Amino acid sequence: MTSNNDVESLMLPNGVRTKIMATLAPPPVSDRLDSSGNVRRSHMDLTGGREGILHYLPWWCFQKKFVHEDVEKLYQEYYHKQKQRDTVWVFVAAAIFTAYALCLQCISDLSLSDWTDKRIALVLCCLVNVVAVLFFLFLELKISEAVWAIVPFVAWAMFYAQVFLDAVFDDRITNWTDALGWTLVLVYVIYVLLPLRMYSCIVLSLITSLTHIVLIAIDLPSSSLILQVIANSLLLVGANLMGAMSHVFTDKKHRKSYLETRTAMRVKLELEERTREQERLLLSVLPEHVAEQIRNDIGEVVDGQFKKIYMSRHENVSILFADIVGFTAISSTYSAADLVQILNELFARFDKLAEKFHQLRIKILGDCYYCISGAPQERSDHAVLCVHMGLSMVDAIKYVREKTKSPVDMRVGIHTGAVLAGIFGQRQWQFDVYSKDVELANKMESGGKPGRVHISEKTFAYLRGEFEVEPGDGSSRDETIKSSGLKTYFIVKILKPYPNGTLDIGSGQNADNVLEETRTAEEIATKEDTKMLEDAKHSEENYRKRLFQEQEMRGKKRHLYQTCNPVTLRFKQKQMEDEYNSQMANPVDEATASAPIVNLLGTLAHMLVLPRTVASYLTLCFGNILILVLSLISISPAFPKRIPQSVTQLGKNINESFVKRHLWIFLIVVILVLVNVLNMVLCESSYSDHQVLSINASAADVTTTVKRVSSELCANPQYFTSYSVLVLLAITVLLHVSYLMKLGLVAAITVLQTYANVVCLTVPFAVSDLTGFGPQMTSAISRKYSLSAMLGSIGLALLFINRHMEAATRLLFKWKKEVEEQKGQVDQVMHKTVTLVYNILPQHVANIFLKTNMRHDELYSQSYTEVGVLFASMPNFSDFYTEESVNNQGLECLRFLNEVISDFDALLKEERFFDIIKIKTTGATYMAASGLNDNVTLQGDGSIRERWAHLDRLTQFALALKDTLQKLNAESFNNFILRMGINHGPIIAGVIGARKPHYDMWGNTVNVASRMESTGKAGCIQVVEETANILKEFGYEFEQRGMVQVKGKGHLMTYYLIGRNQRSPSTSTK
C-alpha cells in the first residue's frame, strides 16, 4: 500500500482505526462479490469500464473516476498536486519556441531598426518564460491553491500569445499555415502538462484549434482556403487525439501511483502500529534495556558454547514481595472471568502504584506480586519508595475485600541487597531476579503478617527515619530468616508523607496523582481510551495531510537521481534497471494505436493539399494497411475473445520483451517515415511532367502557373513537415518506449525531414516561397529553412517532455520498489512481533492478542475442567549458587541454569509434546501444563485414556526433563537432581492486563501440584492418589509414600512414580 513523512498517533481505538484502515485498503475478495458471484463495485473501482482498447479511448475519460466520491476527491487533489510539477515544462517549451521565433526574426532582417515592433515582444516573452522556469524549477516557491487555479490558464495563454505574436509579425501571406507545427505541439501540451481535468483540456484545445482555423481562413487566398482549412483541421484533430490519449494514459498511471501511495501509507501505518505493539508487549514483561537486546538478537545466530543469557547485576536494590492472603479460598468460588477481572483490577492498581513509586514490576506469580526499586536506574531512595509501595498495596487490597466480601489481606515483605536480573530460557520469557537477597525478600513476605509491611534490618538502614517501626521478630516464623541472623521490623506509620524524603520532592511529578492509584482498571482504561480518542479526532483530517506530505517527499526528482544516471535516466543498479524494463513490458500496448491514427489523418490531409496521383494513393494505402496490421498485433491481447489466439500470443510476446517491443515500435515508426519520404519524392517529381518553372521568374508568373496546375503540382510542401510533427507527437505517446530510443527517433526524423526540405524539395519550396512571400521573397528566409528550424525546435521541446515523462515513470517505479521494501519491513516486524508474543504468552492465548486490539475490559479468561500441572525444581541448585568473584558474582551459575531451562524449552518443540505448554519459571523451578490446547477435542465423555492422554504426555515430558538434566550433568560434571510434582483437575487460566499481559493459572489443582513438588523427594515425581490412578491406566507404576500434610488441603495420600511398563501403548502422537 500509508508517510508513511512518518505517521503518528497510531494506537487508535478500534472504531477509528477500522475506519481509517478501511479507507486505506481495498475490501477483501469475498466482500467484492455479489450474490451472483459477480464483482461488486468498491470505492477503488472505476466507472465507465469497457473491454479492450475502448477502455482507454479518450471519449470514455469523462467517466474514469473512483466510485467513492471521497476517494475520487482525494485522488483529484493528489493528481492536481503531481501535475503542478509538470507546468514548468510548458514554460520550457514556450521558451524554446520564443528562441526559435526570435532567431528567425533576427536572421531574416539583420538590421536593428525594427526592434520596437518585431523583436522586443519576443525578447520579453523569452525573459518571462525563463523567469517562470526558474520560478517553478529552482526556487520552488510555495504557491497557494487559489493561485494554482489560474496558473494553467495563464501558462496556456502566454504560450498561445507567443505563437500568435510570431504569426502577426511575419510578413508572409501563409504565416498561419507555417505556425501549424507549434500549434499542434501546444494542443498536445495542453493535455499532457497542464494540471487540468479532461474537460478543461478539451475546451482550451478547441479554443486553440478553432482560433488557428479562423486565422487561416482570414489569411489564406480564397482559391486554397477550403482544402487547407480541412487539412489543418485533420492534423489538429490528430494532435487532440494524441494529447487525449496521453492524458488518459497519464491519468491511468497516476491513479496507479495514487493507489500505491495509499498502499505505502497503509503499510507505514501498519509498520508503526506493529512496532508499537511489539514495543508494548516487550516492555510489559521486560525492562527497556533487556528488551532492546532481545529485539536486536531476534533472528541472529549465536555462536559459542553457551546460549545467550540476558542477565545483569545490580547493587543496592530493594526487593518487595506481596502475597494475597486468603486468595486460594475465593478462587474456587468465582468464575474464571470474574476471578481474572478481580485480579486485573487489583494488579492494575499495583501497576499504577509501581509507576508512581518508581518500582520495576518483576512478575506476577498467581496471587503474588513482586517488584524492585533501584534498578536498572539507580536511586538512593529505593528503600523509602519500596515501603511506600508496600503500604499503598495494603490499602489497595481493601477493594478486593469489599468486592468479594471475604477477609483477604496483603502480606508484604521487603529486603535490600544485590540482584541478578534478566530472563531465562527460550520460551515464555518473564523478567526475573535471582540472588540470596531475593530469597530473603521472599522469606520476609512468608514470615510476615497479613496487613503489615515486614522489612529487614538492611532495608531499615536506608529509611533514614522516614517511618516509625517496631520489632518484627521474623526469625520466630521462618527458619531462613533465623539462620541468616537478620533482625526484622514492621512499619507502624509514615513520619514523612510522600514525596518527602524521596527524589521526587520538588519535581511535581506525582503531585496531581495522589488519588490515581484508587482508580479501577476500567477507569484507567476509560481514561486512556479517552485520550486516544482525543488524539484520533483529527486522524482522518491528518491522513490527507500525511498523504500530501508523502507525495511531496516522493515527487522530488533529486530522489530519483540518487539511484539513476541523470543523463540517461538508467538505474545505476543493473538488477533494478532490468526489473524496470520488465515492468514496462505490459501484455497490451494501447499506445501503438496512435500510429494508425496519425497515418490515417495524414493520408486524408495529403489527399486534400498534396498531389493526387496513382503512385501517391498506392503508397498511402499500402502504408495505412501495414501500420494498421502491426498496431493491431500490439493491441490484440486486449481482445482475447475476438482475435485468434495465435495473434494475441504474438502480441504478448512482442509487448513483454524489451528488445522485441522496441524493434516493433521502431518498425512502425520507420513505415510512418517511409510513407512520408516516398510522398516527398513523388512531390519533387511532380514538376517534371509539367512546364519547367524558372526560379528567377517573376512572382506573378509563378503564381499564375501554380494556379493552373495546382491539383497536380506539389504546391504545399510544408505539410510534410507538419506530418512529421504529428509523428513526433505519436512517438511521445508511447509511454512504454525508452526515452533514449525516443531521442534517437526524434533526432533521426528531424534530420531526415531537414535533409528532405533542403535537398529533395528544392523546387516545391521555391514555388511555395514565391507564392507565400510575394515581393518580400528576396529578404525572407526560405520556408525550407524556417520549417526545418521549426521542426528542430519542436524536437528539442519534445526531447525535454519525453525525458520528463520517463523520469516521472521511473520515479513511480522507484516508489513501487520502496513500497515493496516497506512491505518486507512489515513482514519482518510482524514476524518478530509474533515471535515475541509467542515467547510471552502461550500460542492459543497469543493468537487472541494478535487478532484483536484488546482493551483492559476485554480480558482473556478460561475455565478448564481437566488439566495437568507440572512443577519441576532443582533443590540442590541453591547449594551450587554462590556469589563470589570466581563465578562473576553468581552470573556463571545462572548461565548454567539458563542452559538447563533452554534445553527444557527445546523439548517442547518435539512433536510428542505438542500440547505441553510452559507456563513460567521461577528461579530454578519450571512450571508446565497440559490440556490447554483448544484444538484437541473429544467426542462425548470419552474414556480415561482419551480424556487424559495429555496427562500421559505431561508425565513423559517430566521423565524427558530428568533425562535432559542427566545429559547436562554428564557434560558439565555436575550432579543436579530434579524434584517434581504432578497434579490434575480443574483450573482457571487467564491474562491479567491487556496492556501488560501476564498469563497465569489459579486453583487448588495448581496449589496441590506445587505442594507435590515442594514436599517431594529429590529425583522423584510425586502425585496424589487420584493422579496415580489415572496414570496407572497408561502403564505407569508407583510406590505409596503415605499421608503428606498439604497446606490448605490437610493430609493427602501421595505416591512416587517408579517407571512405566514398556509394553503399554504410547499416546505421544497427535
Side-chain angles (χ1 to χ4, degrees):
M1 62 51 292
T2 341
S3 308
N4 231 111
N5 55 341
D6 290 338
V7 183
E8 300 175 354
S9 306
L10 297 177
M11 296 301 294
L12 307 175
N14 288 342
V16 177
R17 179 181 178 273
T18 301
K19 186 174 182 181
I20 295 176
M21 298 303 284
T23 305
L24 287 171
V29 175
S30 58
D31 294 342
R32 303 186 69 178
L33 301 179
D34 57 24
S35 58
S36 303
N38 298 320
V39 178
R40 181 189 296 124
R41 279 182 175 176
S42 73
H43 66 291
M44 294 301 178
D45 291 330
L46 301 177
T47 60
R50 287 293 189 276
E51 292 184 1
I53 194 64
L54 294 179
H55 185 80
Y56 303 98
L57 289 182
W59 45 80
W60 294 110
C61 62
F62 297 104
Q63 300 176 353
K64 289 297 169 201
K65 62 179 183 179
F66 294 112
V67 174
H68 199 286
E69 292 183 1
D70 292 340
V71 177
E72 179 65 21
K73 183 178 179 181
L74 279 174
Y75 167 72
Q76 290 300 334
E77 293 178 1
Y78 159 84
Y79 181 74
H80 185 72
K81 197 75 174 178
Q82 291 294 317
K83 293 291 288 183
Q84 285 175 357
R85 297 188 178 94
D86 296 346
T87 307
V88 62
W89 300 103
V90 178
F91 291 101
V92 170
I96 293 174
F97 167 79
T98 308
Y100 146 77
L102 186 59
C103 288
L104 286 185
Q105 285 289 335
C106 293
I107 294 173
S108 63
D109 188 357
L110 297 178
S111 67
L112 302 179
S113 58
D114 295 331
W115 269 98
T116 56
D117 58 354
K118 291 185 179 180
R119 302 170 186 170
I120 292 179
L122 290 175
V123 170
L124 291 176
C125 288
C126 190
L127 292 175
V128 169
N129 289 325
V130 172
V131 170
V133 170
L134 293 175
F135 183 82
F136 286 102
L137 190 61
F138 298 107
L139 300 182
E140 296 184 358
L141 298 179
K142 298 295 183 181
I143 304 176
S144 66
E145 290 301 318
V147 176
W148 266 117
I150 62 172
V151 165
F153 300 97
V154 173
W156 165 78
M158 289 179 60
F159 198 161
Y160 192 61
Q162 294 168 44
V163 176
F164 178 83
L165 287 173
D166 178 59
V168 169
F169 289 150
D170 202 328
D171 294 331
R172 292 171 292 176
I173 300 174
T174 56
N175 46 13
W176 280 102
T177 301
D178 289 356
L180 177 61
W182 271 104
T183 305
L184 296 175
V185 173
L186 175 57
V187 169
Y188 182 79
V189 162
I190 291 172
Y191 289 97
V192 175
L193 298 180
L194 292 182
L196 298 173
R197 299 290 297 272
M198 177 63 88
Y199 61 83
S200 299
C201 294
I202 291 176
V203 170
L204 292 184
S205 62
L206 285 177
I207 293 174
T208 304
S209 302
L210 291 175
T211 305
H212 178 83
I213 296 301
V214 170
L215 292 174
I216 285 181
I218 297 174
D219 186 64
L220 288 176
S222 58
S223 59
S224 58
L225 174 61
I226 297 177
L227 295 181
Q228 290 201 37
V229 165
I230 297 176
N232 285 24
S233 299
L234 290 171
L235 296 179
L236 288 168
V237 168
N240 276 273
L241 290 177
M242 297 302 101
M245 291 176 69
S246 289
H247 185 95
V248 172
F249 297 150
T250 304
D251 180 72
K252 175 185 174 183
K253 179 180 65 177
H254 277 283
R255 285 185 185 274
K256 180 181 178 182
S257 169
Y258 173 71
L259 293 181
E260 289 180 349
T261 303
R262 291 169 65 87
T263 301
M265 179 72 75
R266 178 182 60 82
V267 166
K268 285 191 176 182
L269 283 169
E270 187 175 355
L271 175 62
E272 293 190 5
E273 183 172 357
R274 292 296 184 183
T275 301
R276 294 189 184 205
E277 187 70 9
Q278 173 187 354
E279 187 77 7
R280 185 185 67 79
L281 286 170
L282 265 178
L283 298 183
S284 68
V285 294
L286 303 175
E288 186 173 359
H289 69 287
V290 178
E292 185 65 26
Q293 296 180 48
I294 295 177
R295 185 190 299 107
N296 294 335
D297 290 342
I298 289 181
E300 298 293 330
V301 177
V302 180
D303 298 326
Q305 182 180 0
F306 297 101
K307 299 177 179 67
K308 187 162 186 177
I309 183 172
Y310 302 95
M311 192 71 62
S312 58
R313 183 175 178 86
H314 303 276
E315 305 287 345
N316 297 324
V317 176
S318 290
I319 309 120
L320 179 150
F321 277 80
D323 186 62
I324 305 176
V325 181
F327 179 79
T328 303
I330 68 172
S331 64
S332 59
T333 61
Y334 281 86
S335 66
D338 291 339
L339 184 65
V340 172
Q341 181 67 34
I342 292 172
L343 287 174
N344 183 66
E345 293 279 359
L346 180 62
F347 291 143
R349 293 168 183 261
F350 289 172
D351 287 341
K352 294 301 294 184
L353 289 170
E355 182 181 347
K356 175 180 178 180
F357 295 117
H358 307 285
Q359 307 291 308
L360 176 61
R361 186 185 86 178
I362 302 303
K363 65 168 64 173
I364 300 170
L365 298 174
D367 57 351
C368 179
Y369 185 104
Y370 67 102
C371 55
I372 61 174
S373 181
Q377 287 82 29
E378 296 182 1
R379 292 182 67 99
S380 60
D381 57 352
H382 53 86
V384 176
L385 292 170
C386 245
V387 173
H388 279 298
M389 175 74 180
L391 293 173
S392 299
M393 294 175 80
V394 172
D395 292 336
I397 197 64
K398 296 176 183 178
Y399 157 76
V400 178
R401 189 182 306 134
E402 294 172 358
K403 187 163 186 174
T404 62
K405 308 298 182 185
S406 59
V408 294
D409 212 332
M410 292 298 298
R411 189 171 57 219
V412 181
I414 303 175
H415 177 64
T416 300
V419 299
L420 285 165
I423 62 173
F424 293 106
Q426 307 299 313
R427 287 193 170 200
Q428 311 315 124
W429 287 325
Q430 291 183 348
F431 188 71
D432 207 348
V433 291
Y434 197 95
S435 69
K436 297 292 186 181
D437 290 316
V438 173
E439 294 180 11
L440 282 173
N442 191 10
K443 298 304 180 180
M444 291 299 300
E445 177 271 313
S446 60
K449 292 182 179 180
R452 305 298 299 273
V453 176
H454 191 207
I455 65 171
S456 68
E457 61 178 316
K458 289 190 176 181
T459 302
F460 177 74
Y462 286 92
L463 295 185
R464 299 172 301 202
E466 304 289 334
F467 304 91
E468 181 180 332
V469 300
E470 64 182 18
D473 194 21
S475 60
S476 65
R477 294 182 295 276
D478 189 276
E479 285 297 324
T480 303
I481 297 177
K482 182 178 180 179
S483 62
S484 67
L486 282 175
K487 292 183 180 180
T488 66
Y489 303 90
F490 284 123
I491 300 295
V492 176
K493 67 178 180 179
I494 301 173
L495 298 179
K496 296 181 180 179
Y498 176 82
N500 295 318
T502 70
L503 299 178
D504 291 338
I505 188 169
S507 65
Q509 179 177 350
N510 295 76
D512 298 329
N513 296 325
V514 177
L515 300 178
E516 184 66 28
E517 64 272 15
T518 65
R519 298 181 184 271
T520 66
E522 184 176 357
E523 290 171 336
I524 293 171
T526 302
K527 179 181 178 181
E528 292 179 359
D529 288 343
T530 301
K531 184 178 183 301
M532 286 189 294
L533 280 169
E534 292 175 354
D535 293 339
K537 280 183 179 179
H538 305 293
S539 59
E540 294 184 72
E541 297 177 4
N542 291 339
Y543 167 68
R544 182 179 303 186
K545 182 179 179 181
R546 296 168 190 166
L547 185 60
F548 283 150
Q549 289 174 349
E550 178 78 358
Q551 297 157 9
E552 284 293 327
M553 181 199 72
R554 290 181 165 198
K556 307 295 185 181
K557 283 189 179 178
R558 60 175 175 266
H559 296 297
L560 175 66
Y561 296 150
Q562 294 173 0
T563 55
C564 282
N565 185 305
V567 178
T568 64
L569 295 183
R570 292 177 61 87
F571 289 108
K572 297 176 181 178
Q573 296 181 359
K574 184 178 184 302
Q575 181 181 357
M576 196 169 184
E577 179 66 22
D578 293 340
E579 290 179 9
Y580 170 77
N581 292 331
S582 177
Q583 177 197 272
M584 299 303 291
N586 288 341
V588 183
D589 191 358
E590 303 89 356
T592 53
S594 61
I597 292 175
V598 166
N599 204 46
L600 177 62
L601 294 172
T603 298
L604 296 176
H606 182 282
M607 292 180 177
L608 293 173
V609 294
L610 292 172
R612 297 183 287 275
T613 63
V614 175
S616 63
Y617 286 151
L618 290 175
T619 302
L620 293 171
C621 290
F622 181 77
N624 273 283
I625 293 173
L626 193 56
I627 290 175
L628 182 61
V629 170
L630 295 177
S631 299
L632 284 177
I633 291 175
S634 292
I635 303 170
S636 61
F639 307 94
K641 297 181 180 179
R642 302 176 185 177
I643 296 179
Q645 184 178 0
S646 58
V647 178
T648 58
Q649 188 60 43
L650 175 61
K652 280 186 178 180
N653 293 337
I654 293 171
N655 296 331
E656 292 178 353
S657 170
F658 177 82
V659 176
K660 292 179 182 178
R661 182 175 69 252
H662 283 72
L663 289 176
W664 199 257
I665 294 298
F666 179 77
L667 179 60
I668 292 175
V669 174
V670 166
I671 295 174
L672 285 172
V673 175
L674 188 59
V675 170
N676 198 34
V677 169
L678 290 176
N679 280 292
M680 283 190 284
V681 172
L682 293 174
C683 174
E684 174 72 15
S685 63
S686 66
Y687 284 91
S688 63
D689 298 329
H690 298 277
Q691 178 183 357
V692 177
L693 303 176
S694 174
I695 301 303
N696 297 320
S698 65
D701 293 339
V702 173
T703 302
T704 302
T705 305
V706 170
K707 288 179 180 180
R708 187 171 60 251
V709 293
S710 59
S711 63
E712 299 179 359
L713 290 180
C714 185
N716 298 290
Q718 67 272 16
Y719 281 96
F720 290 115
T721 304
S722 299
Y723 176 81
S724 294
V725 172
L726 207 57
V727 172
L728 297 184
L729 296 181
I731 293 173
T732 306
V733 175
L734 302 174
L735 298 180
H736 297 131
V737 176
S738 167
Y739 137 77
L740 294 177
M741 181 176 177
K742 290 182 181 180
L743 170 62
L745 291 175
V746 170
I749 292 172
T750 302
V751 171
L752 184 60
Q753 186 63 50
T754 300
Y755 176 81
N757 288 345
V758 175
V759 177
C760 298
L761 298 176
T762 303
V763 175
F765 271 117
V767 175
S768 178
D769 290 340
L770 289 173
T771 58
F773 291 114
Q776 292 83 21
M777 184 184 67
T778 55
S779 61
I781 299 176
S782 174
R783 300 176 87 178
K784 63 182 180 182
Y785 297 116
S786 62
L787 291 175
S788 298
M790 179 198 71
L791 187 62
S793 63
I794 290 175
L796 181 62
L798 292 180
L799 168 64
F800 284 109
I801 294 174
N802 283 321
R803 186 181 184 282
H804 167 69
M805 293 175 70
E806 173 146 341
T809 304
R810 287 181 177 269
L811 196 57
L812 291 180
F813 174 76
K814 186 172 182 289
W815 296 351
K816 181 181 177 181
K817 295 294 293 182
E818 291 175 354
V819 169
E820 292 174 354
E821 291 176 2
Q822 289 168 351
K823 288 179 180 178
Q825 293 174 3
V826 170
D827 291 338
Q828 292 179 4
V829 171
M830 290 179 66
H831 174 72
K832 287 187 176 182
T833 301
V834 171
T835 302
L836 290 169
V837 175
Y838 285 167
N839 276 312
I840 293 174
L841 301 171
Q843 184 170 348
H844 69 285
V845 179
N847 290 334
I848 298 174
F849 279 76
L850 290 174
K851 292 178 181 177
T852 59
N853 287 334
M854 298 193 70
R855 294 172 39 180
H856 288 273
D857 56 350
E858 297 174 349
L859 304 176
Y860 170 81
S861 61
Q862 183 69 48
S863 293
Y864 296 90
T865 57
E866 297 178 347
V867 171
V869 181
L870 164 70
F871 281 88
S873 70
M874 293 191 299
N876 57 341
F877 181 78
S878 58
D879 299 330
F880 170 77
Y881 178 82
T882 58
E883 297 177 350
E884 299 175 355
S885 58
V886 68
N887 58 24
N888 199 8
Q889 301 298 319
L891 180 60
E892 298 307 317
C893 298
L894 294 186
R895 191 183 303 279
F896 179 80
L897 179 60
N898 182 64
E899 290 294 309
V900 173
I901 295 176
S902 297
D903 285 355
F904 288 175
D905 290 343
L907 290 173
L908 296 173
K909 298 179 181 179
E910 298 182 13
E911 185 177 358
R912 56 179 175 150
F913 301 132
F914 71 94
D915 59 350
I916 308 301
I917 295 175
K918 175 184 175 182
I919 303 302
K920 60 190 172 187
T921 58
T922 304
T925 301
Y926 193 98
M927 180 183 178
S930 64
L932 300 174
N933 193 338
D934 296 332
N935 296 325
V936 178
T937 58
L938 297 175
Q939 298 294 332
D941 294 336
S943 65
I944 290 179
R945 290 186 61 85
E946 290 175 335
R947 290 164 48 203
W948 293 104
H950 64 83
L951 187 61
D952 171 36
R953 288 187 286 271
L954 184 64
T955 307
Q956 293 181 51
F957 180 70
L959 296 174
L961 294 181
K962 292 179 65 175
D963 294 339
T964 300
L965 185 58
Q966 289 176 3
K967 292 179 182 178
L968 285 172
N969 284 334
E971 294 172 357
S972 60
F973 305 102
N974 285 307
N975 188 30
F976 291 106
I977 303 175
L978 279 180
R979 184 178 66 200
M980 292 181 279
I982 297 177
N983 194 27
H984 77 285
I987 60 99
I988 297 172
V991 174
I992 304 299
R995 297 293 178 186
K996 283 188 167 186
H998 172 82
Y999 182 78
D1000 211 339
M1001 54 178 56
W1002 307 269
N1004 286 326
T1005 301
V1006 179
N1007 295 333
V1008 171
S1010 177
R1011 301 304 178 189
M1012 288 297 98
E1013 178 271 316
S1014 61
T1015 62
K1017 182 171 63 175
C1020 296
I1021 301 174
Q1022 182 176 220
V1023 299
V1024 296
E1025 186 173 14
E1026 293 82 358
T1027 304
N1029 291 335
I1030 293 175
L1031 290 177
K1032 287 177 182 178
E1033 294 289 329
F1034 296 93
Y1036 292 98
E1037 298 177 355
F1038 296 87
E1039 69 173 10
Q1040 184 177 343
R1041 177 188 181 186
M1043 302 299 290
V1044 174
Q1045 173 68 33
V1046 176
K1047 182 179 179 181
K1049 299 295 289 184
H1051 289 82
L1052 298 177
M1053 179 62 70
T1054 65
Y1055 295 78
Y1056 286 131
L1057 176 65
I1058 297 176
R1060 181 176 185 176
N1061 188 339
Q1062 297 300 322
R1063 291 174 295 178
S1064 299
S1066 174
T1067 61
S1068 61
T1069 58
K1070 292 183 182 181

